[in-house]
Amino acid sequence: MNLTALNQKFGIDQQILFSTGEGGLPVAIITNKYATAVISLYGAQVLSYIPAGEKELLWMSSKSLFKEGKAIRGGIPLCFPWFGKHLTNPSLPQHGFARLSAWEVAETSTMGNGASQIHLQLHQSADTKKLWPYDFSAVVTVTVGETLELKLKVLNTDEEDFTYSDALHTYLNISHINNISIEGLYKIPYYDGFGDTPIVQQEEVLCITKEENRRYVEHAANCIVTDSGYERKIRVSKTGSKVTVVWNPWIETTKTMSDMTADGYQTFICVEAANSYDDVVTLKPFEEFTISTTIALEQS
Ligand code: TA6
């Protein structure tokens, strides 16, 4: 559907506008009394969320590509139907095809409290079936209000059971990596990088002083990121997920990433709700499952 048709069918006056974003990719721009947000239809990826009168909560790489076939580096990329490398075929795209697909707008609405909602959908296609052989219906719902909520609902429309992993790979915008600490992970076991022995976190709060790629298991609670530079706390809460990933590539790994500047790692931390490890999702035909994450400024 072109932009004119999208605006006619799904635009909401003064609130939801479809427009051309960077690289010519279509975006929904949402503005209401609570916040402004930008959502890319390519990848169903939230690119920006700025609560009224506040700084941006999501980080976007200044070198990100905005190009079909490439992942957008920042915001909230959607990893589905697998998180990380494909288990049996590492030549398939890392983190699945959801972030590389054009999603359709299914519905937009204004909620009773004035928050705005957009629903984006993706089904199997000849292209997705080459990568993952199942029929499915995925719906992403983004609610832009006092908080930002992102939900991914997956329905099995196949005749067979299927299993998937996923992540809502949130890049939080921070003043500097040296200025933050993360609460909510004390005594939680995690796999360090791709290790296979869980380690129990001993630090009451986590400060990032090197490359981190921690995959916390048995963790459904909130994380609070305190940023002394921006004098704010960001709460990341979730439902339908027992795995939390904390990732920052630090200096050396950043050098290997062509879509990030050398100092890019200094201004984001990823805190991700995931279904992975023992928490992958298996659905029988007609069953559905929802994972969600909510990003909010903690009110002091
Ligand atoms: O969530 C952490 C992670 O899985 C890391 O291992 C790292 O590769 C990161 O995601 C980014 O992946 P990407 O494919 O977007 O470069």
Side-chain angles (χ1 to χ4, degrees):
M1 206 182 279
N2 65 28
L3 285 178
T4 309
L6 278 172
N7 277 312
Q8 267 167 7
K9 191 156 179 208
F10 298 110
I12 299 180
D13 195 28
Q14 313 276 329
Q15 217 176 107
I16 302 188
L17 172 77
F18 294 90
S19 180
T20 305
E22 290 203 54
L25 299 177
V27 292
I29 301 171
I30 297 185
T31 313
N32 59 36
K33 64 180 176 185
Y34 299 110
T36 60
V38 181
I39 297 132
S40 169
L41 307 192
Y42 174 68
Q45 191 159 336
V46 183
L47 306 180
S48 164
Y49 172 69
I50 309 177
E54 304 286 347
K55 290 188 184 65
E56 174 66 72
L57 257 64
L58 300 177
W59 180 87
M60 178 58 63
S61 171
S62 58
K63 281 182 78 184
S64 177
L65 299 169
F66 291 88
K67 195 175 168 191
E68 280 183 28
K70 301 286 178 195
I72 299 172
R73 174 76 60 201
I76 313 184
L78 212 64
C79 308
F80 170 82
W82 58 89
F83 169 61
K85 292 213 182 321
H86 188 274
L87 283 182
T88 55
N89 184 351
S91 72
L92 295 182
Q94 155 125 319
H95 293 327
F97 52 74
R99 64 179 181 165
L100 305 173
S101 299
W103 290 60
E104 281 172 9
V105 182
E107 199 186 328
T108 53
S109 59
T110 306
M111 303 176 79
N113 64 359
S116 317
Q117 221 170 42
I118 183 166
H119 304 261
L120 303 172
Q121 62 188 9
L122 183 72
H123 303 115
Q124 76 286 342
S125 63
D127 284 344
T128 67
K129 284 207 144 185
K130 281 184 216 150
L131 303 169
W132 198 59
Y134 303 105
D135 289 357
F136 68 95
S137 159
V139 177
V140 163
T141 302
V142 181
T143 307
V144 177
E146 204 169 2
T147 65
L148 172 73
E149 186 194 55
L150 176 74
K151 276 190 203 172
L152 167 67
K153 181 173 84 178
V154 176
L155 168 69
N156 183 347
T157 52
D158 205 275
E159 290 171 356
E160 283 180 39
D161 297 8
F162 62 59
T163 297
Y164 66 90
S165 57
D166 62 22
L168 311 177
H169 197 306
T170 308
Y171 287 76
L172 298 173
N173 182 38
I174 55 173
S175 61
H176 195 284
I177 195 74
N178 296 341
N179 294 341
I180 63 150
S181 59
I182 308 173
E183 282 166 70
L185 299 165
Y186 183 41
K187 297 251 160 98
I188 306 292
Y190 64 93
Y191 294 96
D192 195 0
F194 302 97
D196 48 16
T197 313
I199 304 166
V200 175
Q201 178 170 310
Q202 300 303 332
E203 309 97 310
E204 278 190 38
V205 295
L206 175 66
C207 295
I208 310 290
T209 55
K210 59 179 175 54
E211 178 168 3
E212 295 290 1
N213 193 351
R214 297 186 178 205
R215 287 110 192 278
Y216 294 85
V217 290
E218 300 159 40
H219 183 257
N222 298 347
C223 285
I224 310 277
V225 178
T226 300
D227 183 338
S228 60
Y230 283 163
E231 297 182 329
R232 69 182 186 183
K233 287 175 187 272
I234 303 174
R235 186 178 66 242
V236 181
S237 51
K238 59 179 183 163
T239 65
S241 153
K242 291 193 215 118
V243 171
T244 300
V245 180
V246 173
W247 178 63
N248 182 283
W250 211 249
I251 299 165
E252 291 306 319
T253 298
T254 298
K255 286 183 190 160
T256 68
M257 300 168 74
S258 57
D259 57 358
M260 235 196 257
T261 57
D263 59 358
Y265 75 95
Q266 294 175 352
T267 48
F268 79 82
I269 183 73
C270 284
V271 180
E272 312 163 30
N275 295 115
S276 184
Y277 296 94
D278 290 346
D279 189 32
V280 293
V281 182
T282 299
L283 297 178
K284 293 185 173 34
F286 306 112
E287 282 185 345
E288 64 181 40
F289 183 80
T290 300
I291 180 175
S292 78
T293 191
T294 300
I295 316 299
L297 278 178
E298 277 278 278
Q299 302 305 335
S300 47

